[in-house]
């Protein structure tokens, strides 16, 4: 019991609640469905996550038909003893567990395994739910009326007034956990799609090879049992339209494709693939036996038992001969499989070419793509473009007229020349002013011009000084 409590207490659902809350969850709270629907839905969700976790962790007992591995997608409701597996110290066993499972079945969280494997309708089709409507919406009086009219059977009603043992008897069985099934199917499809350049052989499996390929990798930390794999195959075929199953042949397909079937070529390639896998397994086994014989020879020689060493040596020689034969057969089968796959691929490529050619011819046969129609269309387009340009020029001219913006270029040229001439005149006038200012600064003082006793400037000297100043060579 201590181990069971420790195991349950490790679950996130148990770690997130107090002891008082756990006692409420372990009580028979079915009456809250109508009086307190919010609390009832919260409690139901807690049990859904708890039961789902116990299934995926493999904490339930193996089914009668599955001994090698515990089911990781299927919940086994064995009866009232099932509640004992969830007994918790200080709290007891869950009193309303039978009703909880019945509710989860009604919500399609759990689906009866026999019904799931045999029903041809997808589990996602809403369908007609007369029992659910009658028992939970309309009520028991109408159910009684339907019984009297033989519309429903008295054996179908699992009403709230039934005893606990009676409810356990009615819900006893195996149920697929839908959320886990969906996760496992997604894992299978991801692993299959991850194969780069999937060949025809890679898309074909038998049940055993499918189980070897996908049982250990699609759910983290879990290995799917044979019953789990059968549920996954049914789900992928019927509900996801991702595979075809015919006898022992399993073929992955594109869900968008239609009229896909398993052909004789598929069956032949699968047989070749299976033969290659079987021969490869034999080769691996022979190699292991060769290693064992070699170890036996070494051990016998160390013990100085020559007869035993010779026996191991003879057997090793026989195994080496057998290994050579199996390797030759394996090479032949592998080469044949590659050629068959190549030929099948060529057929698909040629079909694509044929379809493409037919499509192209159909498009080219359209009346709009006839040569005369194309020429007519191009001429009409050129004419339309020319008309558009003319209209654009007319509109532009009309806009300028309307805005009064028509200006003669000759008038602009004349105005520009006048502005240039004015600028030249102003420049020359400025130069004359600068020259006059320079001459004025060079003019001798009045007392010199009037004659001085010390120095007198002659007219010739003044003329020379003026000339030098004008030429810019005046020295101080």
């Amino acid at each position: 019991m201590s181990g069971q409590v420790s195991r349950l207490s490790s679950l996130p659902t148990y770690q997130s609640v107090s002891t008082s809350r756990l006692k409420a969850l372990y009580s028979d709270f079915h009456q809250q469905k109508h009086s307190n629907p919010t609390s009832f839905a919260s409690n139901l969700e807690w049990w859904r996550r708890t039961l789902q976790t116990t299934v995926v962790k493999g904490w339930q007992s193996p089914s009668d038909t599955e001994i090698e591995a515990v089911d990781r997608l299927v919940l086994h409701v064995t009866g009232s003893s099932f509640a004992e597996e969830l007994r918790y110290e200080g709290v007891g066993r869950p009193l309303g567990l039978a009703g909880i499972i019945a509710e989860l079945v009604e919500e399609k969280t759990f689906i009866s395994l026999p019904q799931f494997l045999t029903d041809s309708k997808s589990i996602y089709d809403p369908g007609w739910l007369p029992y659910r409507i009658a028992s939970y919406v309309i009520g028991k009086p109408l159910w009684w009326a339907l019984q009297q009219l033989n519309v429903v059977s008295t054996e179908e009603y699992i009403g709230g007034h039934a005893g606990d043992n009676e409810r356990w008897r009615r819900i006893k069985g195996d149920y697929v956990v839908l959320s886990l099934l969906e996760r496992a199917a997604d894992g299978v499809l991801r692993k299959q799609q991850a194969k780069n350049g999937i060949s025809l052989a890679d898309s074909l499996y038998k049940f055993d090879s499918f189980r070897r390929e996908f049982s250990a990798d699609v759910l983290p930390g879990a290995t799917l049992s044979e019953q789990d794999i059968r549920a996954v195959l049914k789900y992928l075929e019927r509900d996801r339209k991702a595979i075809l199953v015919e006898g022992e042949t399993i073929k992955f397909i594109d869900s968008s494709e239609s009229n896909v079937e398993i052909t004789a070529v598929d069956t032949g390639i699968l047989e070749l693939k299976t033969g290659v896998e079987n021969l490869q397994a034999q080769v691996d086994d022979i190699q292991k036996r060769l290693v064992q014989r070699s170890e036996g020879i070494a051990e016998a020689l160390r013990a100085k038992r020559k007869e035993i060493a010779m026996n191991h040596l003879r057997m090793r020689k026989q195994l080496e001969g057998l290994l050579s034969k199996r390797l030759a057969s394996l090479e032949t089968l592998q080469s044949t499989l590659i050629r068959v796959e190549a030929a099948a691929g060529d057929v698909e490529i040629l079909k694509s070419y044929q379809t493409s050619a037919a499509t192209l011819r159909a498009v080219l046969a359209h009346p709009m793509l006839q040569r005369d129609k194309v020429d007519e269309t191009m001429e009409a387009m050129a004419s339309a473009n020319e008309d558009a340009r003319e209209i654009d020029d007319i509109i532009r001219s009309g806009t300028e007229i309307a805005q009064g913006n028509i200006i003669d270029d000759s008038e602009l040229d004349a105005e520009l020349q006048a502005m240039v001439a004015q600028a030249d005149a102003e420049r020359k006038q400025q130069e004359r002013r600068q020259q006059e200012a320079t001459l004025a600064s060079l003019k001798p003082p009045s007392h010199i011009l009037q004659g001085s006793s010390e120095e007198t400037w002659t007219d010739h000297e003044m003329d020379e000084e003026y000339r030098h100043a004008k030429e810019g060579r005046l020295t101080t």
Side-chain angles (χ1 to χ4, degrees):
M1 179 62 66
S2 60
Q4 176 71 5
V5 172
S6 175
R7 190 167 65 174
L8 290 175
S9 62
S10 67
L11 296 179
T13 50
Y14 281 78
Q15 294 175 351
S16 62
V17 297
S18 62
T19 303
S20 59
R21 171 64 175 151
L22 192 59
K23 289 180 179 179
L25 290 165
Y26 267 57
S27 65
D28 190 355
F29 56 84
H30 196 271
Q31 298 292 338
Q32 295 180 351
K33 181 174 183 180
H34 302 292
S35 62
N36 191 352
T38 302
S39 177
F40 177 82
S42 176
N43 294 345
L44 193 65
E45 173 61 17
W46 186 91
W47 275 108
R48 183 196 68 78
R49 291 186 287 118
T50 298
L51 293 174
Q52 173 182 300
T53 306
T54 58
V55 172
V56 76
K57 286 183 174 294
W59 287 357
Q60 55 183 345
S61 302
S63 63
D64 296 336
T65 58
E66 188 63 43
I67 304 300
E68 295 181 358
V70 179
D71 296 329
R72 302 302 184 102
L73 306 179
V74 180
L75 173 69
H76 302 292
V77 181
T78 55
S80 58
S81 61
F82 181 72
E84 292 295 332
E85 298 181 14
L86 296 170
R87 179 179 288 275
Y88 198 85
E89 185 176 0
V91 180
R93 70 185 186 92
L95 300 179
L97 187 56
I100 292 168
I101 295 175
E103 289 287 342
L104 294 173
V105 172
E106 284 292 329
E107 293 181 356
K108 287 188 175 181
T109 300
F110 300 155
I111 303 174
S112 172
L113 179 62
Q115 179 184 357
F116 176 83
L117 294 177
T118 57
D119 200 349
S120 60
K121 182 183 290 187
S122 173
I123 61 175
Y124 297 116
D125 291 342
W128 183 48
L129 303 175
Y131 300 155
R132 183 178 181 182
I133 294 173
S135 59
Y136 293 105
V137 180
I138 301 177
K140 188 174 181 179
L142 180 56
W143 189 275
W144 178 86
L146 295 176
Q147 289 177 350
Q148 306 309 309
L149 296 173
N150 294 324
V151 175
V152 297
S153 170
T154 57
E155 295 299 318
E156 299 295 338
Y157 179 66
I158 315 178
H161 297 293
D164 190 59
N165 291 334
E166 181 66 15
R167 281 193 284 183
W168 278 116
R169 186 184 69 82
R170 293 181 184 278
I171 67 168
K172 182 179 179 180
D174 299 331
Y175 298 91
V176 177
V177 182
L178 180 57
S179 58
L180 297 178
L181 179 65
E182 292 172 336
R183 285 167 51 188
D186 291 339
V188 169
L189 294 178
R190 280 196 303 270
K191 184 173 182 180
Q192 179 67 15
Q193 293 168 359
K195 297 180 178 179
N196 296 327
I198 297 177
S199 64
L200 184 56
D202 289 334
S203 65
L204 295 167
Y205 297 90
K206 287 190 175 181
F207 181 83
D208 291 338
S209 60
F210 185 93
R211 182 179 179 183
R212 288 195 301 269
E213 181 72 18
F214 298 106
S215 63
D217 299 327
V218 295
L219 281 180
T223 299
L224 302 186
S225 66
E226 179 178 339
Q227 189 160 248
D228 294 333
I229 292 295
R230 294 192 185 278
V232 169
L233 287 173
K234 189 66 178 179
Y235 177 77
L236 290 174
E237 177 190 17
R238 180 191 59 206
D239 304 303
R240 296 288 288 270
K241 309 296 183 185
I243 64 172
L244 291 178
V245 180
E246 185 176 312
E248 283 293 313
T249 304
I250 302 167
K251 181 180 181 180
F252 280 89
I253 60 174
D254 188 346
S255 57
S256 62
E257 296 179 0
S258 58
N259 300 324
V260 182
E261 59 181 9
I262 296 177
T263 64
V265 174
D266 296 330
T267 304
I269 290 178
L270 181 57
E271 291 299 327
L272 278 172
K273 178 183 177 182
T274 304
V276 169
E277 291 174 349
N278 292 338
L279 270 178
Q280 186 63 58
Q282 292 182 31
V283 168
D284 295 340
D285 181 66
I286 293 172
Q287 290 175 335
K288 291 179 181 178
R289 291 160 63 186
L290 281 171
V291 172
Q292 293 173 356
R293 292 295 176 179
S294 298
E295 292 175 351
I297 293 172
E299 184 177 351
L301 290 176
R302 283 194 299 268
K304 298 181 179 181
R305 304 184 67 176
K306 183 178 179 181
E307 295 81 3
I308 296 178
M310 288 295 294
N311 180 62
H312 283 305
L313 183 58
R314 291 190 190 96
M315 295 303 299
R316 191 178 71 174
K317 289 293 184 182
Q318 294 179 10
L319 289 173
E320 289 174 349
L322 180 60
L323 179 61
S324 298
K325 293 179 181 179
R326 292 294 180 266
L327 287 174
S329 300
L330 179 61
E331 182 180 358
T332 301
L333 278 181
Q334 288 175 333
S335 300
T336 304
L337 178 59
I338 292 174
R339 288 195 295 269
V340 171
E341 280 191 297
D346 292 341
V347 171
E348 294 300 322
I349 292 173
L350 288 176
K351 285 182 180 179
S352 300
Y353 287 169
Q354 186 177 17
T355 302
S356 301
T359 303
L360 182 58
R361 289 188 180 279
V363 173
L364 293 176
H366 194 279
M368 291 298 297
L369 296 180
Q370 301 303 310
R371 182 58 181 270
D372 54 347
K373 189 67 175 179
V374 173
D375 293 340
E376 179 183 348
T377 302
M378 298 307 295
E379 291 176 359
M381 183 179 294
S383 177
N385 288 332
E386 183 63 28
D387 293 341
R389 282 194 295 271
E390 292 180 359
I391 292 173
D392 184 64
D393 293 340
I394 293 173
I395 292 174
R396 186 181 297 108
S397 300
T399 302
E400 292 175 351
I401 293 173
Q403 295 178 350
N405 293 333
I406 299 179
I407 301 174
D408 190 357
D409 290 343
S410 61
E411 295 180 358
L412 294 176
D413 291 338
E415 184 176 353
L416 181 61
Q417 293 295 330
M419 293 174 64
V420 171
Q422 183 179 358
D424 290 342
E426 292 177 353
R427 181 177 55 81
K428 292 178 180 180
Q429 184 177 4
Q430 183 68 22
E431 290 177 353
R432 283 197 300 270
R433 290 175 180 172
Q434 292 177 353
Q435 291 176 357
E436 291 174 355
T438 301
L439 292 176
S441 63
L442 296 175
K443 185 176 180 182
S446 57
H447 68 278
I448 296 176
L449 294 177
Q450 294 174 1
S452 174
S453 59
E454 296 178 357
E455 181 179 2
T456 303
W457 285 45
T458 63
D459 292 339
H460 176 73
E461 290 175 336
M462 292 177 63
D463 289 339
E464 286 294 323
E465 193 68 23
Y466 175 78
R467 185 175 60 81
H468 289 302
K470 189 175 181 179
E471 292 177 358
R473 297 196 301 263
L474 180 64
T475 59
T476 308

